[in-house]
Amino acid sequence: MHTVVVGTSGVTASDVLAVARAGARVELSGEAVAALTAAREIVDALAAKPDPVYGVSTGFGALATRHIGQELRTRLQRNIVRSHAAGMGPKVEREVVRALMFLRLKTVCSGHTGVRPDVAQTMADVLNAGITPVVHEYGSLGCSGDLAPLSHCALTLMGEGDAEGPDGAVRPAAELLAAHGIEPVELREKEGLALLNGTDGMLGMLLMALADLDTLYKSADVTAALSLEALLGTDRVLAPDLHAIRPHPGQAASAANMLAVLKGSGLTGHHQDDAPRVQDAYSVRCAPQVAGAGRDTLAHARLVADRELASAVDNPVVLPDGRVESNGNFHGAPVAYVLDFLAIAAADLASVAERRTDRLLDKNRSHGLPPFLADDAGVDSGLMIAQYTQAALVSEMKRLAVPASADSIPSSAMQEDHVSMGWSAARKLRTAVDDLTRVIAVELYAATRAIELREGLTPAPATRAVIDAVRAAGVAGPGPDRFLAPDLAAADAFVRDGRLVAAVETVTGPLQ
């Protein structure tokens, strides 16, 4: 099994995906252990002094003014975890919790948190054992980190609360730790706070959304090309020199992908036939501009994510010169903004895909296709209600595009009086990504059927490869009405697992 080694300088997006989704093992580097040891020596020295130090010998948040004596500090660290593990609602997905835990371990290993090496090793051991703390949907405001979600993870390290075993069954954490020979940790000065105070949940969800959207934007280029082909549109608008005079890189990439898919098509260029058109509708002609703007949004979000991956987010932080300083780096605004921005871009991509689907189904705008792509219109309804489903998904995505980060709700007796709501932004983006996958699947279903109804015209080789692959995947072609839900589910799976892009790339080579 692949192993990810955690050092002091951060991790990569592929490392996070490997641990969260592929179950990769985690190891601490010697450099990380040395940094953990050095930072812990600083914390121990400060803890031995009579002067109060925030996070080491004081309370937290609005209670930071109370000095805590040495005899109460273990209880203090245990209590902060217990009291902050206050999440409610459904269980969060396993991959999200694994990303959350791994990213907190990444920051712990930076040497800026003061956590002991054995606590970090226990975090790695829990990940490697496939133990997943039960984390709930609600509990993070995205400021002072993802407090409740991270607290539920820390609770598992202490052998308290519930967790999910590698078999998927939820059991008491103490039983799961014992079954895997893992000793629960007893937290000392600074450690409880250090395990809770990070933007790890929202960052983990951002990284997974970026990976999924990378595939979905390529998929949307493919389905847009297929719809253009099915509508007998012109591919002249995709010419590189037209996009070079408005040099947005994402736009150029989307246009190039569409052009690659359409190469050799016998359906494009018929816009001057029986019902001449000077130009195609915006949803077809401007597909690269819409998808390209989204691609450029992805590029900006990756830049933010890469900076976060190289960050040590904690409060207070241990500095190499021995200082332990309070700071505001736990605020989730940088991540929250791009999470919201991606939800907006995804909603618009879905919206333009739905418009193309509707055009394919409308006999007044489809340039010769049967109403609703039905076999015997009137007797058969064709894809009428598939488009309803697509429209419902797009409508939900528009609601999900309302920015969570534009909201703030004060907490902690007004000490935390401005929060990012980044966790909420991440949660709704996950739903938006799921919805976008389904929207693209419906366009794929409609466009492939429409192309097969263009008798006597030969589709592009890449299009033929898609049709062959999607039919082999169990998605039916033209014909009388049938139970549509299984076909749509199969189309969804075909897009979701990357088979759509893979089928095209057997002809075009790698898409941009």
Side-chain angles (χ1 to χ4, degrees):
M1 183 181 289
H2 177 60
T3 298
V4 174
V5 179
V6 185
T8 60
S9 56
V11 297
T12 66
S14 60
D15 290 337
V16 178
L17 294 173
V19 173
R21 289 182 162 172
R25 291 186 58 79
V26 178
E27 290 183 5
L28 310 185
S29 71
E31 173 194 38
V33 173
L36 286 159
T37 301
R40 186 64 209 179
E41 289 173 354
I42 293 171
V43 169
D44 285 342
L46 290 171
K49 294 181 178 180
D51 301 325
V53 177
Y54 176 66
V56 176
S57 53
T58 70
F60 310 116
L63 303 176
T65 55
R66 178 178 172 184
H67 180 251
I68 307 297
Q70 289 187 345
E71 72 283 0
L72 294 176
R73 290 177 191 170
T74 297
R75 179 178 162 193
L76 169 69
Q77 300 300 321
R78 182 171 61 245
N79 283 352
I80 190 176
V81 173
R82 286 174 172 172
S83 65
H84 285 42
M88 296 181 73
K91 272 196 317 177
V92 172
E93 304 85 359
R94 181 176 185 270
E95 66 177 14
V96 172
V97 179
R98 286 184 63 83
L100 174 75
M101 294 171 67
F102 177 66
L103 286 166
R104 182 76 322 223
L105 177 60
K106 177 268 298 183
T107 284
V108 164
C109 288
S110 69
H112 290 293
T113 67
V115 170
R116 288 169 293 152
D118 57 338
V119 175
Q121 184 59 56
T122 301
M123 296 172 75
D125 292 342
V126 168
L127 283 165
N128 292 339
I131 297 171
T132 307
V134 172
V135 172
H136 299 280
E137 180 83 16
Y138 304 106
S140 173
L141 301 179
C143 199
S144 287
D146 291 316
L147 287 174
L150 283 164
S151 296
H152 282 277
C153 293
L155 199 67
T156 294
L157 299 179
M158 292 165 45
E160 299 184 17
D162 292 329
E164 185 180 292
D167 60 355
V170 174
R171 296 166 55 191
E175 290 182 15
L176 286 168
L177 294 184
H180 289 85
I182 301 171
E183 285 291 326
V185 298
E186 183 176 72
L187 300 177
R188 289 169 46 183
E189 292 93 342
K190 176 79 171 61
E191 291 179 332
L193 190 59
L195 294 177
L196 315 187
N197 215 338
T199 53
D200 307 296
M202 62 184 90
L203 175 58
M205 287 185 275
L206 172 61
L207 293 167
M208 287 183 279
L210 286 170
D212 294 338
L213 287 168
D214 182 68
T215 298
L216 288 175
Y217 269 85
K218 293 175 185 175
S219 301
D221 291 340
V222 173
T223 57
L226 267 57
S227 291
L228 183 153
E229 202 171 10
L231 292 166
L232 305 179
T234 177
D235 59 0
R236 292 180 63 180
V237 296
L238 304 173
D241 55 354
L242 293 176
H243 296 277
I245 61 176
R246 194 189 190 194
H248 292 289
Q251 175 180 321
S254 286
N257 284 346
M258 289 181 66
L259 204 56
V261 173
L262 293 169
K263 185 177 180 180
S265 174
L267 281 79
T268 57
H270 289 274
H271 59 293
Q272 294 296 336
D273 290 353
D274 296 337
R277 284 167 276 160
V278 175
Q279 53 198 9
D280 292 314
Y282 282 12
S283 61
V284 177
R285 185 173 16 131
C286 301
Q289 284 77 9
V290 175
R295 284 171 168 270
D296 291 342
T297 303
L298 285 177
H300 172 62
R302 285 192 195 97
L303 177 63
V304 172
D306 286 344
R307 289 170 177 165
E308 285 288 303
L309 285 169
S311 300
V313 178
D314 192 18
N315 181 51
V317 291
V318 180
L319 298 172
D321 62 6
R323 288 179 296 139
V324 175
E325 294 282 5
S326 292
N327 67 93
N329 285 339
F330 49 74
H331 200 288
V335 184
Y337 291 168
V338 294
L339 287 162
D340 280 333
F341 201 171
L342 289 175
I344 292 168
D348 201 36
L349 186 64
S351 180
V352 74
E354 183 275 330
R355 288 293 81 205
R356 290 191 295 264
T357 304
D358 182 67
R359 185 167 289 271
L360 289 167
L361 272 54
D362 183 353
K363 70 180 182 65
N364 297 311
R365 296 180 290 141
S366 66
H367 310 289
L369 291 168
F372 303 105
L373 306 181
D375 186 63
D376 184 2
V379 175
D380 294 308
S381 294
L383 306 190
M384 180 191 295
I385 306 304
Q387 185 268 331
Y388 280 38
T389 299
Q390 191 187 42
L393 290 162
V394 171
S395 183
E396 178 176 59
M397 290 183 70
K398 290 175 182 178
R399 295 191 296 274
L400 293 169
V402 176
S405 59
D407 186 28
S408 176
I409 188 162
S411 57
S412 194
M414 292 298 286
Q415 176 70 11
E416 299 171 11
D417 59 352
H418 184 274
V419 297
S420 77
M421 302 307 297
W423 174 273
S424 299
R427 297 305 295 166
K428 68 185 184 64
L429 178 59
R430 282 182 68 84
T431 302
V433 169
D434 272 348
D435 287 352
L436 177 59
T437 307
R438 298 182 182 105
V439 168
I440 292 172
V442 175
E443 183 180 17
L444 171 68
Y445 191 40
T448 52
R449 176 181 283 210
I451 289 167
E452 288 187 300
L453 289 170
R454 296 290 191 189
E455 295 180 359
L457 296 174
T458 304
T463 300
R464 185 74 261 166
V466 169
I467 293 173
D468 290 345
V470 80
R471 298 292 172 255
V475 181
D481 280 356
R482 54 188 277 127
F483 181 20
L484 276 187
D487 276 359
L488 295 177
D492 174 35
F494 188 75
V495 173
R496 191 175 298 271
D497 63 17
R499 280 179 286 164
L500 171 58
V501 173
V504 167
E505 290 182 337
T506 61
V507 176
T508 63
L511 296 178
Q512 298 184 39

